[in-house]
Amino acid sequence: MALGQRVPTDRLFRYIAARTRFFDDQTLSAIAGGAEQIVLVGAGYDGRALRFRSRGVRFFEVDHPATQADKRERVAALGADTAHLTLVPADFVTDDVAVALGAAGHARTAPSLFLCEGVLPYLPEEVTLALLRCLRSVAARGSRLAVDFALRGADGTVAAGEAALDQRVARVGEPIRTRLARGDAVALLVAAGWDDVAPRDIADVDAAITPSRALLVTAGVS
């Protein structure tokens, strides 16, 4: 951001900033704890593998083949050191992510941190469940998972502000496909085989954000 440029303060900016802080904290905690594998699911143009490059830590970024091809070219153009980074092309609807990760060198016998930031709301619920199960199948004991869910009310309704956000992102080609009640999000992770599920409202990260807008969740393999 240029010197003197005004920092955005709108609702969407604060939401993304709080979500980023949560996932950054999970990444730094895993690295400090000795994690050797960090898997970013639906990585897109995420820069954590470059921002948090650490000796002995391998990053795997999983996303659609078209996105991965474009990112590969962009990172190469930057001349960045990517010896610690492996791009894993996979379509979450049609491909087996576990097979793709294995082929890319991910060791299912070693603990990993799995990050799904800003991904699950854009997938149908059945695809989300299949993906979470797939990640659990390659998660060794001691692995951790961090995800976020878009929330709806327990009665199935969506607040006016969230409905407006849905329309906003749909206009740029990324419609939100799944909103869950808090209990249903937790149940989905349990059904996928994850343990120690710990949900946290995004408003706990930034009190200026309307509560019950999104759920930030960590889980593990005990």
Side-chain angles (χ1 to χ4, degrees):
M1 182 171 291
L3 183 64
Q5 185 174 346
R6 183 178 178 183
V7 176
T9 57
D10 71 332
R11 294 174 70 244
L12 181 58
F13 175 84
R14 295 200 72 129
Y15 171 88
I16 294 175
R19 190 181 73 188
T20 299
R21 192 181 318 149
F22 169 77
F23 284 96
D24 280 357
D25 287 347
Q26 297 302 314
T27 303
L28 291 172
S29 178
I31 292 173
E36 297 180 359
Q37 299 182 130
I38 297 178
V39 181
L40 290 83
V41 182
Y45 296 93
D46 190 295
R48 284 190 180 89
L50 302 180
R51 291 195 288 128
F52 299 132
R53 181 190 295 109
S54 301
R55 184 183 299 275
V57 181
R58 180 143 206 90
F59 285 81
F60 297 87
E61 294 191 354
V62 189
D63 211 330
H64 191 277
T67 302
Q68 296 293 64
D70 184 54
K71 183 170 186 176
R72 191 183 303 277
E73 292 182 1
R74 291 174 183 267
V75 172
L78 292 174
D81 177 9
T82 58
H84 65 297
L85 170 62
T86 300
L87 300 184
V88 185
D91 186 318
F92 299 147
V93 176
T94 60
D95 296 334
D96 187 323
V97 173
V99 171
L101 278 169
H106 176 265
R108 65 171 64 197
T109 56
S112 300
L113 170 66
F114 297 90
L115 301 177
C116 297
E117 180 187 5
V119 178
L120 303 186
Y122 300 98
L123 301 176
E125 186 172 344
E126 65 275 12
V127 175
T128 294
L129 177 58
L131 177 60
L132 292 172
R133 282 176 171 164
C134 196
L135 297 177
R136 174 61 184 83
S137 74
V138 298
R141 184 183 298 274
S143 292
R144 301 293 297 170
L145 169 74
V147 300
D148 65 287
F149 292 95
L151 288 178
R152 60 171 171 74
D155 59 357
T157 60
V158 177
E162 275 53 66
L165 173 64
D166 289 0
Q167 294 175 1
R168 185 173 175 180
V169 297
R171 284 197 294 269
V172 296
E174 294 187 335
I176 292 179
R177 302 182 186 278
T178 301
R179 285 187 176 275
L180 298 172
R182 180 188 180 105
D184 292 338
V186 172
L188 194 69
L189 284 164
V190 173
W194 291 92
D195 306 317
D196 305 321
V197 179
R200 181 184 184 190
D201 196 289
I202 195 170
D204 294 337
V205 180
D206 183 346
I209 298 176
T210 304
S212 300
R213 182 174 180 182
L215 198 65
L216 306 173
V217 190
T218 58
V221 179
S222 57

